[in-house]
Amino acid sequence: ITLRRVNVDFQKQTVDPVQVSFNTLDRSRAITDLLLTIDVTEVVEVGHFWGYRIDERNARILKKLTAEINQLELVPLPIHPHPDLVCLAPFADFDKERYFRAQILYVSGNSAEVFFVDYGNRSHVDLDLLMEIPCHLLELPFQALEFKICKMRPSAKSLVCGEHWSGGASQRFASLVSGCALLVRVFSVVHSVLHVDVYRCSGAQDTVNVRDVLIKEGYAELAEESYESMQSHEALKGLFSKSVENVADLSTSSPVKDDEKYLIRVLLESFSSNKLGAPNCKVILHGPFNPYELKCHSLTRISKFRCVWIEKESINSVIISDAPEDLHQRMLVAASLSVNATGSTMLLRETSLMPHVPGLPALLSALFAPVMELRVDQDGKCYTGVLCGLGWNPTTGAPILPEHDIELAFDVQFNVEDIIEINILRAAINKLVCDGPNGLKFLGPERIAQLQDNARQKLLGLFFQLKPRQRVVPRWHEKPYEWNQVDPKLVMEQADRESSRGKNTFLYQLHKLIVLST
């Protein structure tokens, strides 16, 4: 189908309606969207990259700029190279070395890493090859643009198998965006970074959304955009809707009104700048308290209302939320814990902030708790939380160690299959840990390695699923920290076949399932 869109030229700051054919783009949305054709030159991480526009007008600007630079009589730098200095640097283009505008990122020994401000890629260059740039060549705004794919975050699979994105995710993303022209739809502009949808042409008329591919293959999942991004999106949507309305009855060669041109010029100036470098902006957080700072509290009952202080020398002494719109519970573990003289404050040492996997606190608690009791809603149709601890005494009905019980409300949906997988893992741990050397020596090293690998894969599979767990609003139980709150008729025992054979030396007992109503 033929779509109507607005073509924005960044250099001349003009807006013209043009024709484009992409049968996978939604007509109602594309009318007010800003579409650009780009070439990716530098991948920072999955979903974050640099590139430049390859439309005819921009290609003409870059060609003219390159020709002008190559006609210059190059002069060495009059001062010693230093970070942020803009100069001319060589780059091998089609086996021919040419000079381009560049900014020095850092200097190391006799070389420097430079950023080519019109294209977005980086290179190491000898200091002797850096040349002075004439002042008139700095008048043209830098043409490189920084992009981030919107509405996307790492999946649990990427977080568990990598620092932020797994190696597999990085390789897959690079293969999707490298070596071909891409179409990007601008969603918002935040701190000079374009948040975009990225499309790769897969045929004569078909396009593939890169985000959808990463989500389908389990590397990423959908996420909400930040508040700043949503504000920018609303401003963009209103701006371009008004622009298209004004040119709807005009020919494609007619210019838009002066006030629309002014508004668009203000928009483009927000990310067409001669200031580069990372980070793009600095935000000063005023203390001692700030809304972006995460606060920690203990999971156990005895310490629930104690203040938690993390050792100042710890890397996690101050934890800032980089995604305040994501309300999933997070988990911090400590190797050392002490309490002050009055018992009001806990001091944590050697801490580790666990990956931001939705449902991770509940999964870990249920996986390693001696005993747990599932919480269900009033209709008995879904699990709402879990109580973990040592259980309760059937004779007296009292908790065995109530001070260390943990009550959790689920913020993602868990089902019967999740509990069964947890029980399978607990049985596998019993098999490997509790049989001892005498029981395992008959299996042989290969069989033991196989059992260990199977347990590891099941553990990873429990943390990340191809389809992420559905987000739910946490609902706390009306009687927290109280055991035996489930009708015995709905409790299903999970018998361990090994323990039923007379072996009572096992580490974990299997959790009891609660039958849900349909």
Side-chain angles (χ1 to χ4, degrees):
I1 61 175
T2 301
L3 303 177
R4 191 75 153 179
R5 69 175 172 90
V6 176
N7 186 25
V8 177
D9 183 82
F10 291 95
Q11 177 61 27
K12 294 187 177 181
Q13 299 175 355
T14 60
V15 179
D16 300 302
V18 298
Q19 301 289 334
V20 63
S21 296
F22 283 102
N23 62 350
T24 59
L25 300 182
D26 183 75
R27 177 183 179 88
S28 62
R29 294 178 58 187
I31 288 178
T32 59
D33 281 342
L34 172 61
L35 299 173
L36 304 172
T37 306
I38 67 164
D39 189 8
V40 175
T41 52
E42 188 82 20
V43 174
V44 180
E45 64 173 359
V46 177
H48 184 191
F49 56 95
W50 284 85
Y52 65 98
R53 293 170 297 123
I54 55 175
D55 54 89
E56 182 178 351
R57 187 172 298 178
N58 192 67
R60 187 165 57 249
I61 293 173
L62 291 177
K63 184 177 180 180
K64 179 181 178 181
L65 176 63
T66 303
E68 186 174 354
I69 292 175
N70 290 330
Q71 292 176 358
L72 293 174
E73 183 177 348
L74 300 179
V75 178
L77 290 175
I79 60 176
H80 187 75
H82 60 81
D84 296 333
L85 178 67
V86 179
C87 59
L88 296 177
F91 185 83
D93 184 28
F94 297 105
D95 297 329
K96 184 178 180 181
E97 192 173 76
R98 299 181 180 179
Y99 274 81
F100 302 91
R101 298 192 300 178
Q103 183 183 44
I104 297 176
L105 299 178
Y106 67 85
V107 178
S108 178
N110 296 323
S111 65
E113 183 175 19
V114 299
F115 178 87
F116 292 98
V117 296
D118 294 313
Y119 296 91
N121 50 333
R122 302 184 179 198
S123 179
H124 285 276
V125 180
D126 291 339
L127 296 182
D128 296 338
L129 299 178
L130 299 178
M131 299 295 169
E132 184 181 10
I133 184 171
C135 294
H136 72 277
L137 290 183
L138 294 174
E139 297 176 357
L140 177 68
F142 299 156
Q143 301 298 300
L145 297 172
E146 186 177 5
F147 301 89
K148 284 187 178 180
I149 294 182
C150 64
K151 302 178 185 177
M152 186 181 76
R153 53 161 283 171
S155 67
K157 177 180 179 181
S158 288
L159 289 171
V160 172
C161 298
E163 293 182 358
H164 189 63
W165 292 95
S166 65
S170 300
Q171 293 176 5
R172 182 57 174 144
F173 178 73
S175 69
L176 287 171
V177 301
S178 301
C180 65
L182 300 176
L183 181 70
V184 300
R185 172 193 287 145
V186 178
F187 180 84
S188 63
V189 183
V190 181
H191 302 305
S192 302
V193 180
L194 299 176
H195 290 229
V196 296
D197 287 297
V198 180
Y199 299 91
R200 176 190 174 102
C201 298
S202 60
Q205 292 184 335
D206 293 332
T207 59
V208 176
N209 190 314
V210 172
R211 181 183 59 232
D212 292 345
V213 173
L214 295 175
I215 292 175
K216 182 179 179 180
E217 296 180 2
Y219 296 117
E221 60 185 46
L222 283 174
E224 295 183 9
E225 280 290 283
S226 66
Y227 178 73
E228 287 181 304
S229 179
M230 293 302 298
Q231 275 192 318
S232 173
H233 174 68
E234 292 300 320
L236 277 174
K237 187 167 61 173
L239 174 63
F240 284 99
S241 296
K242 186 177 179 181
S243 297
V244 172
E245 289 174 1
N246 289 337
V247 300
D249 299 327
L250 302 177
S251 64
T252 56
S253 59
S254 300
V256 296
K257 292 183 179 181
D258 292 340
D259 55 346
E260 264 75 32
K261 287 185 177 182
Y262 172 76
L263 291 175
I264 291 173
R265 183 172 69 252
V266 172
L267 166 68
L268 298 183
E269 285 176 352
S270 67
F271 58 91
S272 180
S273 170
N274 282 351
K275 296 180 180 180
L276 298 173
N280 295 58
C281 62
K282 290 183 179 180
V283 178
I284 299 176
L285 300 181
H286 298 280
F289 304 106
N290 191 276
Y292 287 95
E293 182 180 356
L294 295 180
K295 297 296 182 182
C296 300
H297 64 87
S298 175
L299 290 177
T300 58
R301 185 177 187 179
I302 192 174
S303 304
K304 186 175 182 181
F305 297 106
R306 286 175 174 167
C307 295
V308 176
W309 288 92
I310 303 174
E311 189 179 38
K312 290 183 178 180
E313 288 74 18
S314 174
I315 192 173
N316 299 310
S317 59
V318 178
I319 307 173
I320 301 297
S321 174
D322 57 353
E325 68 278 356
D326 193 343
L327 302 179
H328 287 298
Q329 301 165 357
R330 302 204 62 176
M331 194 171 192
L332 181 79
V333 297
S336 174
L337 183 149
S338 59
V339 183
N340 65 347
T342 61
S344 61
T345 303
M346 299 187 303
L347 179 62
L348 308 183
R349 297 182 179 89
E350 301 177 58
T351 59
S352 295
L353 184 64
M354 302 300 285
H356 196 181
V357 176
L360 182 62
L363 283 173
L364 291 180
S365 300
L367 182 59
F368 298 110
V371 180
M372 80 169 193
E373 182 176 304
L374 288 165
R375 306 300 199 188
V376 296
D377 63 346
Q378 293 182 350
D379 299 328
K381 293 184 178 181
C382 64
Y383 300 132
T384 60
V386 65
L387 175 61
C388 299
L390 291 180
W392 54 285
N393 190 320
T395 304
T396 63
I400 296 177
L401 193 62
E403 295 85 358
H404 293 276
D405 287 345
I406 296 175
E407 179 85 33
L408 284 170
F410 295 153
D411 59 0
V412 292
Q413 191 174 63
F414 289 97
N415 51 37
V416 175
E417 288 74 16
D418 293 315
I419 310 304
I420 293 175
E421 286 297 320
I422 289 175
N423 278 337
I424 292 175
L425 262 170
R426 291 166 72 93
I429 295 173
N430 286 340
K431 178 69 176 175
L432 289 168
V433 175
C434 302
D435 279 1
N438 293 331
L440 294 177
K441 67 181 181 180
F442 298 105
L443 298 177
E446 294 184 0
R447 176 57 178 164
I448 294 174
Q450 183 181 8
L451 290 174
Q452 291 173 332
D453 185 64
N454 289 340
R456 186 182 301 110
Q457 295 303 321
K458 287 186 177 296
L459 180 64
L460 294 176
L462 185 65
F463 292 146
F464 55 78
Q465 299 177 336
L466 189 59
K467 184 178 180 181
R469 292 182 174 87
Q470 182 180 352
R471 178 178 175 176
V472 297
V473 178
R475 289 181 286 177
W476 292 94
H477 194 262
E478 58 184 3
K479 296 181 179 180
Y481 297 101
E482 290 192 19
W483 294 86
N484 195 24
Q485 298 298 306
V486 183
D487 187 349
K489 297 179 182 180
L490 300 178
V491 177
M492 182 186 301
E493 295 283 351
Q494 295 291 298
D496 192 335
R497 288 178 294 178
E498 295 297 331
S499 61
S500 65
R501 295 174 185 172
K503 296 182 179 181
N504 54 7
T505 58
F506 55 91
L507 180 62
Y508 294 117
Q509 68 181 39
L510 301 188
H511 295 314
K512 299 177 181 179
L513 282 174
I514 297 178
V515 180
L516 298 175
S517 60
T518 57

